[in-house]
Amino acid sequence: DAGITQSPRHKVTETGTPVTLRCHQTENHRYMYWYRQDPGHGLRLIHYSYGVKDTDKGEVSDGYSVSRSKTEDFLLTLESATSSQTSVYFCAISDTGSRGDTQYFGPGTRLTVL
Amino acid sequence: KNEVEQSPQNLTAQEGEFITINCSYSVGISALHWLQQHPGGGIVSLFMLSSGKKKHGRLIATINIQEKHSSLHITASHPRDSAVYICATSGGGLTFGKGTHLIIQP
C-alpha cells in the first residue's frame, strides 16, 4: 500500500470555525489531490498540487484553500466551515501526473459541520 | 468539462454470475481508471487503461476510445466482490462517475 495518511480521520466542528485537514505521504510523489465524496455526487476534485508551492483549483474549490510547503504534506483548509462542507475528504497522490498515472488514495477524513 | 456516466447504478447478482459495469464519457481522454470502494470507505485503484484490454485475476477492463466507452467485467463473481465500482477519467485530477453499487449474493 502507498504510504498515505490523513489526519484527523474524524472531526466534528461548528459552523464558522476554521478547519485544517492534513495529508501526508512517504512516497515522494510529485502530485497530490484533495477530493470530497458526497451521496448523489460521487467524488469531486477540490484542489490539486503539482509540486511544492504549486497548486491549482478543481471542480469544487469555493470555500477551500490549500498549501504545500513540503513534498510530503498537502493541507486543506476550510477558512469558515459551513454545513454544506460536511463530507468525506480523500487525499490522493500520483507520481508523474494525472495523465495516465495511477492515483493512490488515503483512508479518508469524515468531517461533520454542525 | 468531461461528463462521466456509469450504468447500472445498482446491481445485485448471484455468486458465480458474469458481471458487466459500463462507463461512458463525453470528451477525449488520455486514460480511464477503474476504482473499487468497499464499505468502510477505502478506495483502491483497479485499472488504468488508455487502449485495448487489461486483465487482473477475475477482473477485465476494456476501453473503446472511438466510442468513448469502457467496461469492467467480473468473471465468476463472489460475495467479496461486493463493493462500489467507480470509473474516472484523467485530466488535471480525476473526473469520476457516480459509481455502481454491486452486491453479490451467496
Side-chain angles (χ1 to χ4, degrees), chain A residues 35 37 40 43 45 98 100-101, chain B residues 33 37 48 90 92 94 96 98:
Chain A
Y35 298 99
Q37 185 176 38
L43 285 149
L45 178 67
S98 61
D101 192 25
Chain B
H33 303 249
Q37 185 174 28
M48 182 190 64
S90 288
L94 296 177
F96 299 85
K98 292 183 181 177

Side-chain angles (χ1 to χ4, degrees), chain A residues 9 33 35 37 40-45 48 57-59 90 98-107, chain B residues 1 29-31 33 35 37 40-45 47-48 86 90-98:
Chain A
R9 294 291 313 280
Y33 310 84
Y35 298 99
Q37 185 176 38
H41 291 280
L43 285 149
R44 292 176 291 175
L45 178 67
Y48 68 100
K57 295 179 179 180
E59 179 186 355
F90 287 95
S98 61
R99 297 193 182 278
D101 192 25
T102 297
Q103 291 196 14
Y104 302 94
F105 287 79
Chain B
K1 179 179 178 292
I29 59 170
S30 56
H33 303 249
L35 310 167
Q37 185 174 28
I43 299 172
V44 175
S45 180
F47 295 102
M48 182 190 64
I86 305 167
S90 288
L94 296 177
T95 300
F96 299 85
K98 292 183 181 177

